[in-house]
């Protein structure tokens, strides 16, 4: 079992989720890059050919200043309608992680095609100089936004494969699937070099060492775009790429998303320049600037990085796009106004929901000379150059709507190959693997038959949550792959999520791991794998003398020594995607037990010896991993592992910035309390309690599990239930349109206003609660931005949840947490 050591204390200040420990200011150098220190690269010769530049010059001579400024603005499809383009000369749209046709995240592929055509048609109908839109989307592990697309392993798995040609072929398949649904541009390749695995985007990086991204950046760019040729657009079925996030997004202190990289220019170059030169040399058409900072200066406003370096020694001729409202984080800027970003070198501002005021303000700043006209012309030329090269001025789209290419069998075969090559064998004792196909195999763990969990974040939705196997037509879960392989070899496979068996199996495969997440939600304090049920299953099987094989799904290395000790074999499967049969290809042998495929994957990230989460990267002082970078066993290369220490090195509990009441318990450092005019009663995890004067009483109720909810009975005299602690900073989450989410059930209809509070503000949910059926569990999500607009200071939230009723009411509540906006949020009016 896990053991915590009391001598090691996490530096969690006042309940905050992160403990930043930057160097003393005296040793932090200025965030000003010297171009003389940087290596040389260059966009290909055909990037700026004479014919293309002449076409652009003629076009720009006919464009008004209003049309030119419009090219600098990108809007999200959730905040713009096709008819808006009849008036507004916007140059680009995107479909963000939770944006979709009609707000339906599981919309059919044809709806995506229709959406693209509707926007293009409206744009073409606007009077003035005709300039096509460029439509971008996050296709980061296949065309992961669309039901029916092939979902490839996330980059962390592909990095373990060490196969540049595989990456090129994945780029080709992804580009084709994006093109047939009408989009022109993907926000990839991701070239982050994650150096702290607590970062919630670790799985988007290929490895902790830049050598993997350097070997992949060129092939992946060529796979997406093909070769850049003078006077010719990209071939049909190719799309524009965007190398991201420039720069050092994987190097922030404590792995904090959108945080600060504190280090020297030399480290910035040696580690975090990563594969950008190779992507530029291959002709990548755009680069996305990072949310993050270097020594306190946001990259989106760092002229020395975006202009002096990128346009100087790196020789980049494409355009730079900012990240989601990232310009609003610059000093003196807001989401609606930021001349500083444009002047620093941002060519296109990603303004998903703020595009109208940003356009108006940017236009006014150009007219006033605050943004020089020469800078606007420079940015517009770069954007138009990419549009010409991407073939957007041609009316013909021969592959658009050819949906037979979406999830095509050859793409699924490629994804299955990628899964096989991404698996890393950490342990294989007693010859448990490969499993003889003719035996009786028990498959356990709730993740075994869950394609959504195997696919992770950025799958159909931003956070990858809410997906079921029905959302992945023609895909295979790991269980389905094992069942097919075993029965095909004459054996028998049985699925039992809880690991209970009726007929003794010869071997058990237990599939478990992290549940899906993306940025914000994925940032963690330690690398301790906390769920208890998988270890309990392994211990029961171990006690019964049944050989066990663990298949671990994760977006990062984690401390799983207890699970390793309870397993005869242990496989790091990362986030394999929709082709779970690729796992079975390697685990399950033929009827005689001969391997059908061997393990070939090796670690792109060092595996931790403890759970503290301290950065663990090869070449750094004190490097002492459990399994080193490059480690990976195979059937041809076996090695004993032995028993591992179960001292985690961390305290047993961890704080949470985004989970408040989950699985029937208040999550540390938060506390639950009842309050009325007589004072406050701290509840903790008690099951029956009342406020001092009885204004609100609480009892336990069943929801998703036994006693997982709490029923609040309001007497109507000012009582309230609240969760408090902190303070925590939720400004990043608000920028990402996260929401306060909880399940509720109305047991006695409220007779008046019901206030839902966060921080110092509250909104009135009385109408919502009043319209809900009695006795039926529902979910409500209220955007954090609503509380901000109502007056909450999101930089220091001490009270992330408050529920109060001015009159008698009974409401049951469970699963209080932050959740992503999947077009299912509300924004009630502020409470008086």
């Amino acid at each position: 079992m896990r053991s915590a050591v009391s001598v090691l204390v996490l530096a969690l200040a006042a309940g905050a989720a992160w403990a930043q420990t930057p160097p003393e200011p005296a040793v932090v150098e200025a965030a000003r890059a010297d171009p003389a220190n940087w290596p040389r690269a260059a966009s290909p010769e055909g990037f700026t050919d004479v014919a293309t530049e002449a076409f652009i010059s003629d076009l720009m001579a006919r464009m008004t200043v209003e049309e030119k400024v419009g090219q600098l603005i990108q809007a999200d499809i959730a905040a713009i309608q096709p008819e808006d383009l009849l008036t507004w000369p916007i140059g680009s749209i995107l479909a963000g992680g939770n944006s979709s046709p009609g707000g339906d995240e599981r919309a059919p592929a044809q709806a995506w095609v229709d959406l693209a055509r509707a926007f293009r048609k409206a744009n073409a109908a606007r009077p003035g100089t005709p300039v096509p839109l460029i439509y971008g989307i996050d296709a980061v592990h296949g065309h992961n936004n669309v039901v029916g697309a092939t979902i490839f392993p996330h980059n962390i798995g592909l990095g373990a494969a060490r196969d540049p040609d595989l990456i090129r072929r994945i780029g080709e398949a992804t580009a084709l699937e994006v093109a047939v649904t009408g989009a022109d541009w993907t926000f990839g390749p991701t070239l982050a070099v994650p150096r702290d695995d607590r970062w919630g985007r670790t799985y988007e990086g290929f490895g902790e060492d830049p050598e993997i991204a350097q070997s992949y950046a060129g092939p992946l760019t060529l796979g997406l775009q093909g070769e850049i040729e003078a006077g010719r657009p990209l071939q049909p079925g190719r799309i524009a790429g965007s190398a991201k996030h420039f720069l050092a997004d994987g190097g922030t202190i404590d792995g904090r998303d959108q945080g600060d990289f504190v280090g020297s220019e030399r480290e910035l170059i040696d580690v975090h320049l990563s594969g950008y030169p190779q992507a530029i040399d291959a002709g990548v058409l755009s680069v996305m600037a990072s949310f993050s900072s270097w020594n306190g200066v946001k990259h989106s406003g760092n002229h020395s990085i975006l202009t002096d370096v990128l346009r100087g020694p790196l020789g980049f001729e494409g355009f730079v796009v900012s990240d989601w409202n990232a310009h609003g984080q610059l000093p003196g800027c807001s989401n609606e106004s930021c001349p500083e970003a444009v002047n620093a070198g941002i060519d296109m501002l990603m303004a998903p929901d703020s595009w109208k005021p940003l356009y108006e303000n940017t236009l006014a700043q150009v007219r006033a000379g605050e943004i020089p006209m020469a800078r606007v012309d420079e940015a517009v030329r770069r954007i138009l150059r990419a549009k010409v090269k991407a073939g957007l001025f041609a009316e013909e789209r021969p592959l658009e709507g050819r949906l037979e290419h979406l999830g095509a069998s050859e793409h699924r075969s490629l994804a299955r190959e990628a899964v096989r090559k991404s698996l890393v064998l950490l342990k294989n004792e007693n010859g448990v693997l490969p499993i003889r196909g003719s035996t009786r195999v028990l498959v356990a763990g709730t993740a075994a038959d869950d394609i959504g969990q195997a696919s992770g974040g950025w799958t159909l939705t931003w956070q990858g949550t809410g997906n079921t196997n029905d959302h992945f037509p023609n895909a295979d879960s790991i269980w389905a792959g094992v069942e097919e392989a075993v029965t095909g070899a004459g054996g028998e496979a049985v699925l039992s999520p809880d690991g209970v068996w009726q007929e003794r199996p010869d071997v058990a495969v237990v599939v478990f791991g992290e549940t899906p997440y993306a940025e914000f939600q994925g940032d963690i304090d330690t690398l301790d794998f906390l769920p208890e049920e998988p270890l309990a299953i392994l211990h029961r099987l171990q006690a019964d003398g049944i050989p066990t094989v663990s298949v671990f799904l994760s977006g990062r290395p984690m401390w799983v020594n207890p699970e390793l000790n309870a397993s005869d074999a242990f496989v790091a499967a990362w986030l394999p995607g929709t082709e779970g049969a690729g796992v079975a290809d390697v685990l399950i042998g033929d009827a005689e037990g001969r391997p059908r495929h061997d393990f070939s994957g090796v670690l792109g990230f060092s595996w931790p010896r403890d759970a503290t989460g301290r950065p663990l990267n090869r070449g750094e002082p004190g490097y002492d991993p459990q399994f080193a970078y490059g480690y990976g066993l195979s059937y041809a290369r076996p090695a004993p592992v032995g028993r591992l220490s179960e001292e985690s090195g961390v305290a047993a509990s961890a704080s949470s910035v985004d989970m408040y009441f989950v699985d029937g318990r208040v999550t540390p450092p938060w506390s639950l309390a009842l309050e009325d005019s007589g004072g406050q009663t701290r509840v903790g995890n008690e099951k029956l309690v009342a406020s001092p004067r009885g204004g609100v009483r609480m009892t336990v109720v069943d929801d998703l599990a036994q006693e997982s909810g709490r029923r609040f009975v309001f007497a109507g005299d000012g009582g309230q239930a609240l969760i408090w602690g902190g303070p925590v900073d939720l400004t990043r989450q608000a920028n990402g349109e996260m929401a306060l989410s909880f399940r509720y059930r109305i047991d006695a209809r409220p007779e008046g206003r019901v206030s839902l509070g966060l921080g110092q503000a509250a909104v009135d949910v009385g109408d919502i609660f009043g319209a809900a059926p009695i006795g039926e569990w529902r979910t409500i999500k209220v955007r954090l931005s609503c509380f901000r607009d109502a007056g909450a200071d999101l930089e220091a939230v001490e009270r992330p949840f408050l529920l109060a009723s001015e009159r008698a009411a009974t409401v049951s509540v469970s699963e209080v947490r932050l959740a992503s906006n999947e077009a299912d949020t509300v924004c009630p009016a502020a409470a008086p």
Side-chain angles (χ1 to χ4, degrees):
M1 62 182 295
R2 283 174 159 73
S3 175
V5 291
S6 58
V7 296
L8 200 81
V9 179
L10 290 178
L12 296 174
W18 298 100
Q20 295 216 42
T21 52
E24 292 296 323
V27 304
V28 177
E29 66 180 55
R32 186 178 299 111
D34 181 354
N37 295 330
W38 293 68
R40 304 198 69 81
S43 295
E45 189 173 328
F47 214 94
T48 55
D49 60 277
V50 174
T52 297
E53 298 305 305
F55 173 83
I56 295 171
S57 295
D58 177 71
L59 183 64
M60 290 180 63
R62 292 182 278 119
M63 294 174 69
T64 65
V65 64
E66 291 84 359
E67 291 170 332
K68 288 180 178 180
V69 170
Q71 292 300 301
L72 276 58
I73 306 297
Q74 183 183 58
D76 186 78
I77 61 170
I80 189 172
Q81 298 298 318
E83 52 267 28
D84 289 326
L85 296 178
L86 298 173
T87 305
W88 302 81
I90 301 304
S92 178
I93 59 171
L94 80 150
N98 280 330
S99 302
S100 53
D104 180 4
E105 293 288 357
R106 282 89 187 178
Q110 185 60 49
W112 288 90
V113 178
D114 295 342
L115 177 143
R117 289 173 174 170
F119 274 103
R120 288 203 307 272
K121 181 179 179 181
N123 185 67
R126 185 182 60 250
T129 311
V131 179
L133 290 169
I134 185 167
Y135 166 23
I137 198 163
D138 285 283
V140 295
H141 63 134
H143 194 12
N144 44 268
N145 299 275
V146 179
V147 171
T150 308
I151 306 299
F152 292 92
H154 267 295
N155 285 352
I156 190 170
L158 299 181
R162 303 293 209 280
D163 189 338
D165 182 66
L166 173 69
I167 299 305
R168 177 189 59 79
R169 290 183 284 139
I170 288 174
E172 291 178 355
T174 299
L176 179 56
E177 296 202 13
V178 171
V180 301
T181 60
D184 316 303
W185 175 28
T186 179
F187 302 129
T190 300
L191 300 176
V193 182
R195 305 289 279 180
D196 190 318
D197 298 343
R198 293 172 294 182
W199 186 36
R201 305 188 79 163
T202 294
Y203 63 79
E204 296 186 50
F206 294 115
E208 70 190 37
D209 192 296
E211 67 176 8
I212 307 177
Q214 288 164 354
S215 70
Y216 279 5
L220 184 49
T221 298
L222 292 172
L224 292 168
Q225 298 186 171
E227 298 276 356
I228 297 291
E229 300 182 53
R232 298 185 62 181
L234 304 184
Q235 295 299 304
R238 305 288 189 157
I239 60 172
S242 188
K244 69 178 188 183
H245 306 86
F246 194 76
L247 194 62
D249 50 336
T252 60
I253 296 172
D254 295 331
R256 181 173 182 173
D257 193 60
Q258 303 182 18
D260 192 22
F261 164 67
V262 176
S264 67
E265 183 179 13
R266 186 74 263 157
E267 185 181 355
L268 194 68
I269 297 168
D270 291 347
V271 176
H272 296 290
L273 183 56
S274 180
Y276 287 98
Q278 290 78 9
I280 292 168
D281 287 343
V284 72
L285 289 171
S286 68
V287 165
M288 182 181 289
S290 178
F291 267 117
S292 59
S293 310
W294 171 34
N295 291 344
V297 177
K298 286 286 184 180
H299 288 300
S300 295
N302 192 326
H303 187 279
S304 73
I305 290 291
L306 296 180
T307 299
D308 298 343
V309 167
L310 191 57
R311 306 300 181 176
L314 294 185
F316 178 56
E317 300 283 2
F319 72 94
V320 175
V321 61
S322 62
D323 210 334
W324 186 279
N325 278 334
H327 57 276
Q329 297 183 1
L330 298 185
C333 288
S334 69
N335 291 351
E336 295 79 24
S337 176
C338 193
E340 292 87 344
V342 177
N343 289 333
I346 296 292
D347 300 311
M348 181 183 288
L349 295 159
M350 185 184 290
D353 55 354
S354 55
W355 61 272
K356 281 185 180 180
L358 182 63
Y359 170 81
E360 295 286 4
N361 287 324
T362 304
L363 180 60
Q365 289 151 2
V366 172
R367 287 172 170 162
E370 195 173 351
I371 301 174
M373 195 65 216
R375 172 69 192 105
V376 174
D377 285 341
E378 179 182 61
V380 172
R381 177 171 291 276
R382 292 166 177 168
I383 293 166
L384 294 180
R385 183 181 294 144
K387 290 183 176 183
V388 171
K389 292 302 178 184
L392 304 187
F393 283 87
E395 292 186 9
E396 302 79 16
R397 288 178 174 252
L399 291 170
E400 185 176 274
R402 295 279 302 278
L403 299 180
E404 67 271 19
H405 294 294
L406 195 71
S409 59
E410 59 270 26
H411 295 170
R412 292 187 59 208
S413 295
L414 176 61
R416 185 168 174 169
E417 175 190 348
V419 173
R420 289 196 298 266
K421 292 181 173 180
S422 70
L423 303 176
V424 179
L425 181 61
L426 298 183
K427 177 181 180 180
N428 188 23
E429 306 290 300
N430 307 316
V432 172
L433 291 175
I435 296 169
R436 186 158 52 89
S438 55
T439 58
R440 180 179 296 112
V441 180
L442 174 71
V443 179
T446 57
D449 195 30
D450 189 334
I451 299 172
Q453 185 169 348
S455 298
W458 291 105
T459 304
L460 301 186
T461 66
W462 174 35
Q463 297 288 329
T465 55
N467 295 321
T468 69
N469 287 359
D470 290 340
H471 296 135
F472 302 98
N474 303 316
D476 287 324
S477 66
I478 294 172
W479 150 249
V482 171
E483 181 186 34
E484 180 182 36
V486 171
T487 56
E492 178 187 3
V494 176
L495 177 65
S496 174
D498 61 5
V500 175
W501 46 270
Q502 303 301 320
E503 192 171 356
R504 183 181 179 85
D506 298 303
V507 63
V509 177
V510 185
V511 187
F512 61 96
E514 292 188 290
T515 53
Y517 56 82
E519 58 214 274
F520 308 138
Q521 297 287 73
D523 291 354
I524 56 177
D525 296 320
T526 79
L527 296 179
D528 194 1
F529 179 69
L530 296 174
E532 300 174 353
E533 182 60 21
L535 184 59
I537 292 173
L538 289 168
H539 281 158
R540 289 199 304 269
L541 293 168
Q542 191 178 49
D544 290 338
I546 297 170
T548 54
V549 177
S550 286
V551 177
F552 186 56
L553 305 176
S554 71
R556 54 188 142 216
M558 300 198 76
W559 188 77
V560 287
N561 282 12
E563 289 81 3
L564 276 155
N565 286 336
S567 307
D568 295 285
F570 197 99
V571 177
W574 313 113
L575 299 170
T578 54
E579 305 311 310
V583 176
D585 286 344
V586 185
L587 267 61
I588 309 299
D590 63 17
E592 284 73 41
R594 294 184 295 259
R596 296 184 297 146
H597 296 273
D598 201 350
F599 288 90
S600 59
V602 296
L603 292 178
F605 291 85
S606 303
W607 203 273
R609 188 176 294 277
D610 61 36
T612 59
R614 291 184 296 258
L616 181 68
N617 304 295
R618 73 164 180 166
E620 291 185 337
Y623 180 67
D624 184 28
Q626 188 70 68
F627 302 111
Y629 174 92
Y631 173 92
L633 304 178
S634 70
Y635 299 138
R637 301 186 312 275
V641 170
R643 186 164 184 83
L644 306 176
S645 169
E646 297 192 5
E647 293 288 335
S648 71
V650 300
S653 63
S655 67
S656 174
V657 72
D658 56 8
M659 292 190 294
Y660 311 123
F661 179 74
V662 179
D663 297 330
R665 298 190 64 81
V666 181
T667 305
W670 306 105
S671 296
L672 176 61
L674 306 178
E675 189 174 78
D676 58 21
S677 59
Q680 186 182 93
T681 297
R682 180 168 177 167
V683 176
N685 286 304
E686 295 179 42
K687 298 180 180 181
L688 178 64
V689 72
S691 58
R693 293 184 180 173
V696 57
R697 293 181 293 109
M698 186 195 77
T699 58
V700 299
V701 293
D702 297 343
D703 178 19
L704 299 176
Q706 184 177 6
E707 298 187 350
S708 64
R710 295 293 182 268
R711 176 186 289 123
F712 300 110
V713 181
F714 297 96
D717 58 356
Q720 57 188 23
L722 65 148
I723 294 174
W724 60 277
V728 294
D729 185 349
L730 298 181
T731 54
R732 295 180 306 131
Q733 287 81 349
N735 182 56
E737 277 301 281
M738 301 292 285
L740 175 63
S741 170
F742 61 95
R743 289 171 57 81
Y744 71 95
R745 186 182 70 191
I746 304 302
D747 298 320
R749 198 173 304 283
E751 300 174 0
R753 185 176 64 246
V754 179
S755 298
L756 173 65
L758 182 144
Q760 306 91 335
V763 297
D764 185 0
V765 294
D767 289 344
I768 296 173
F769 281 14
I774 298 292
E776 178 182 304
W777 282 100
R778 293 188 162 199
T779 297
I780 183 173
K781 293 182 178 180
V782 178
R783 295 190 296 278
L784 294 179
S785 57
C786 299
F787 294 106
R788 178 195 62 204
D789 296 344
D793 177 9
L794 297 186
E795 292 186 358
V797 175
E798 296 181 341
R799 191 183 62 186
F801 175 85
L802 177 145
L803 193 64
S805 179
E806 66 176 358
R807 296 184 182 176
T810 303
V811 182
S812 295
V813 171
S814 75
E815 305 302 304
V816 184
R817 65 177 78 206
L818 299 187
S820 63
N821 179 358
E822 299 176 5
D824 56 355
T825 61
V826 295
C827 188

